[in-house]
Structures are given as C-alpha cells and as structure tokens.
Amino acid sequence: VQLQASGGGLVRAGGSRRLSCVASGRTFSNYAMGWFRQAPGLERKFVATINYSGGVRSYADSEKGRFTISRYNANNTVYLQMDSLKPEDTDVYYCAAARTYTLRASGYDYWGQGTLVTVSS
C-alpha cells in the first residue's frame, strides 16, 4: 500500500485543519487506518485509528473531542479533521495502514511520508 498524506500547513491556535491520506496499490477497505504524530527526535505518538469499515474508532486522550478520524472507502481516503488546535499540536502527522485494528505504531505495516502541521499562538 502506498500512502500519500496532505493538508498540513500553518494555522492559528483555535483554528481547524483537515488532513487527507490517499491509498493506492492494495484494497483500501481491507486495512485499518491510523494517524500518528511525531516531533523531531521523539517517538511517534498515536493520534487516532479507524477500522476497515469506519464503524470503530479510537483516539488518544489529548485529541479526544477535538479530532475526528473518518474514511471514505470509495475513494481510498482517510481523513483527520482537527479542530480547536493548540500550539502543542504542532508536529509532523503520518497516516498508516494496518492489517488489524491497533493503536500501536509497531502494528502498522505501511506509512505515508508525513505532513507538517504548525499551530501558531
């Protein structure tokens, strides 16, 4: 599976941003999809995940209530809607695909290239 993330950029605190990740190469609906974030020199942190059908979702505590993960299997895309953004949300965000539903980065088989979100105060 090849993953292409987009949608990053500069946004003011309190604003919103929607990230997209388009998959190609395999049957998208066979995979759970996740979003992770990473700061330079630190480990990737779980943000959100969604199962193959979109019926089950999980969020990290720090993002719960502000971020929404969704997917549209017909166009092989997973989204991360980010609202009420804070400066501490500044990070590179990665999408990933996994054969089974998991919150662990080690459980993901394929990764996109990352997209930078910068939240200004």
Side-chain angles (χ1 to χ4, degrees):
V1 178
Q2 291 79 48
L3 302 173
Q4 181 71 41
S6 62
L10 178 63
V11 60
R12 290 192 173 187
S16 297
R17 199 83 181 179
R18 189 176 81 158
L19 305 182
S20 301
C21 175
V22 180
S24 62
R26 300 278 181 126
T27 304
F28 179 69
S29 59
N30 285 347
Y31 293 85
M33 298 297 297
W35 285 96
F36 291 77
R37 55 189 289 182
Q38 186 173 26
L42 300 180
E43 289 186 357
R44 286 183 186 180
K45 297 192 302 181
F46 168 74
V47 174
T49 186
I50 189 167
N51 78 329
Y52 71 99
S53 68
V56 181
R57 311 174 195 194
S58 297
Y59 297 91
D61 287 342
S62 57
E63 281 83 15
K64 198 174 297 183
R66 299 188 301 123
F67 291 9
T68 303
I69 189 171
S70 61
R71 67 188 295 161
Y72 188 43
N73 287 346
N75 65 2
N76 294 346
T77 304
V78 62
Y79 302 96
L80 184 69
Q81 176 67 40
M82 303 186 295
D83 298 318
S84 302
L85 283 162
K86 307 172 183 179
E88 52 264 41
D89 293 320
T90 295
D91 259 335
V92 177
Y93 285 76
Y94 296 88
C95 62
R99 293 183 178 90
T100 58
Y101 187 79
T102 179
L103 280 63
R104 296 179 294 109
S106 60
Y108 284 77
D109 306 289
Y110 305 97
W111 291 85
Q113 84 288 4
T115 185
L116 175 64
V117 175
T118 303
V119 184
S120 63
S121 57

